[in-house]
Amino acid sequence: MNRLSTIVLAALDALVAAAIGLGILVVPATLLWAVQFGLALDWTAFWRASADVWLAGHGVDLLITLPSDVALATGLDGAGAPFEVGIALLGFALLTVLLGARSGRRLRAADDPVAGSIAGVVAFGLIAIAVSSSARSSEVVPSLLQSALFPAGVYLLGVLIGLAWRRRGAAGPKAAQSRFALVWRTRLDAVDAGDRALVGLALRGGAMAAFGVITVAAVALAIALVAGFSSIVGLYEGLHAQVVGGIALTVGQLALLPNLVVWMASWFLGPGFALGSGSSVSPLGTQLGLLPSVPVFGALPQGDVPLGFAGLLVPVLLAFGVGVVLKPAFDAAVEGTRGRGRWIRFAAVSIALGLVGAVLMALVAIWSGGAAGPGRLADVGPDPSAVFLWSFVEFTVPAALGLLAGASVRRPGTRNGGRDGRGPAAAARSEATGRADTL
């Protein structure tokens, strides 16, 4: 594809990605308008509600001003004054990332993927600005600046993932031969191969530890939802939302599932999460006040969880396993390094691994929480600083022990995995020197 075709198709990809996310909300909202309200209300109110939820799903803050009678009916302190809602329904952000990654993978085969990427991200940002402008009302005002930046940033993350994605054995993109890529590759080649391997090891290990905890949290959440099914159904029945209203409520809860997974991961890490100021859900106990009428909250534990402290072992064991798995790669990277230099690299990799994992967990904690309403609902989700500190300790120390306890992989018949008792890197350097001497 030439440059113009790439730009046009990338912009169309962005339009489709935004339309899919908005459509998931607009369709049930329109059904609700037609079936439950009999077309009696102004449809634009349902469009604005859908647009506000979509923007909030990408991290855009909403300034809400409730009418006096509605504020009084909520019974919440501070509902009579304007308040912000900043919690993001991460399901919509995740969908945008996946659709952006799809566009990025297609752009890898284009003649100018950089121009296509810029066009797609700019188009998505312009769409978000248009949606934000159309969603503004006297009751709800989305942040225009955040609307211009956050949705486009989420889409950019997906595009970058798609551009970087490479199947095993697949040829690199044409952009890999660009001047920027060649300069970047030259600078990387100037760094010692062992140090590059150690950096990659720390990045990979931290990501493995963080995503391992999130995976376990997702499984645990699924079990909790099944175990609390009767409570969830009871809350559905108490809302009297009817069929179409129940569908709309279910869509909103599905968008909240990624948040719940992150909250469950924070529970395993130790800090837990809050569902309002003064509340706490952690392995050491649960203290809840009045909760929003969201059926999925029926799966929350009541009171102390028996042996809840055992959940703290999950990140510890996962980080230890990561260290054991990465031990052979670490030995290969520091081959030939002895004494103090080896221990310095060992400490640096352990600390960097824990730091990477802690930063990842803190970032998702930031995105998963925020203000969900006035008063005590201004504090919902995990505390990012606590998540960072707990993650850093629970990843660093066990991973270091795993790197010490893991077994190295050695070739049969050799002492250190190479010829004549030398490592593979040393043997390769010797062969290269011998070939040079014969010239």
Side-chain angles (χ1 to χ4, degrees):
M1 294 185 293
N2 58 36
R3 176 175 295 183
L4 180 59
S5 300
T6 300
I7 291 175
V8 172
L9 291 177
L12 287 176
D13 279 344
L15 177 62
V16 170
I20 291 175
L22 286 166
I24 292 174
L25 292 165
V26 173
V27 170
T30 302
L31 290 175
L32 188 67
W33 168 68
V35 176
Q36 195 158 331
F37 293 94
L39 310 179
L41 301 178
D42 184 3
W43 178 82
T44 57
F46 293 87
W47 158 255
R48 288 196 298 268
S50 301
D52 289 333
V53 172
W54 183 80
L55 291 170
H58 293 81
V60 177
D61 291 341
L62 307 177
L63 180 62
I64 299 179
T65 305
L66 296 178
S68 57
D69 54 340
V70 176
L72 185 61
T74 62
L76 295 173
D77 294 336
F83 60 91
E84 282 192 349
V85 171
I87 188 169
L89 302 179
L90 293 182
F92 294 106
L94 180 60
L95 176 63
T96 298
V97 169
L98 293 176
L99 293 173
R102 174 180 174 272
S103 177
R105 293 186 65 180
R106 294 176 60 181
L107 287 172
R108 291 182 71 247
D111 292 331
D112 195 345
V114 174
S117 301
I118 294 174
V121 172
V122 170
F124 199 89
L126 292 176
I127 293 170
I129 292 174
V131 171
S132 177
S133 300
S134 67
R136 300 171 74 87
S137 65
S138 58
E139 292 83 13
V140 183
V141 179
S143 170
L144 189 60
L145 177 60
Q146 293 181 359
S147 300
L149 298 177
F150 289 177
V154 173
Y155 188 75
L156 173 62
L157 175 62
V159 171
L160 293 177
I161 292 174
L163 289 173
W165 185 270
R166 181 179 300 179
R167 292 177 296 178
R168 188 179 298 274
K174 294 180 180 179
Q177 303 301 322
S178 66
R179 181 179 179 183
F180 173 80
L182 291 175
V183 171
W184 179 251
R185 173 58 60 183
T186 301
R187 292 182 178 179
L188 284 179
D189 290 341
V191 181
D192 180 74
D195 292 338
R196 290 203 309 270
L198 291 177
V199 172
L201 201 67
L203 294 174
R204 187 164 72 250
M208 290 170 62
F211 288 116
V213 173
I214 291 176
T215 300
V216 173
V219 175
L221 177 63
I223 296 173
L225 292 176
V226 172
F229 182 73
S230 59
S231 299
I232 294 173
V233 172
L235 288 174
Y236 263 109
E237 293 174 347
L239 291 174
H240 304 290
Q242 300 183 9
V243 176
V244 179
I247 293 174
L249 183 60
T250 301
V251 170
Q253 292 179 103
L254 289 175
L256 187 64
L257 277 181
N259 301 66
L260 298 179
V261 170
V262 176
W263 297 357
M264 182 66 75
S266 178
W267 187 90
F268 279 112
L269 290 168
F273 57 93
L275 288 174
S277 301
S279 66
S280 175
V281 182
S282 72
L284 304 180
T286 301
Q287 296 178 349
L288 294 175
L290 294 176
L291 294 177
S293 298
V294 180
V296 72
F297 289 161
L300 290 174
Q302 301 296 325
D304 295 338
V305 179
L307 299 177
F309 62 88
L312 297 173
L313 294 176
V314 169
V316 172
L317 294 176
L318 285 171
F320 180 81
V322 168
V324 171
V325 169
L326 297 181
K327 168 69 171 179
F330 173 78
D331 286 342
V334 299
E335 187 177 14
T337 305
R338 296 290 183 267
R340 182 181 178 183
R342 184 183 182 94
W343 284 107
I344 290 176
R345 285 168 172 77
F346 165 79
V349 168
S350 301
I351 294 173
L353 187 153
L355 187 62
V356 170
V359 168
L360 290 176
M361 294 306 305
L363 287 176
V364 294
I366 291 173
W367 275 92
S368 69
R376 62 186 302 271
L377 291 180
D379 183 17
V380 174
D383 180 1
S385 60
V387 169
F388 175 84
L389 292 176
W390 283 70
S391 301
F392 180 72
V393 174
E394 292 175 346
F395 290 162
T396 302
V397 177
L401 295 176
L403 287 173
L404 288 175
S408 301
V409 176
R410 293 183 173 89
R411 296 182 183 178
T414 62
R415 194 154 41 104
N416 291 319
R419 296 177 177 83
D420 303 322
R422 294 169 298 176
R429 286 194 296 267
S430 178
E431 289 181 359
T433 302
R435 285 194 299 268
D437 291 341
T438 61
L439 295 179

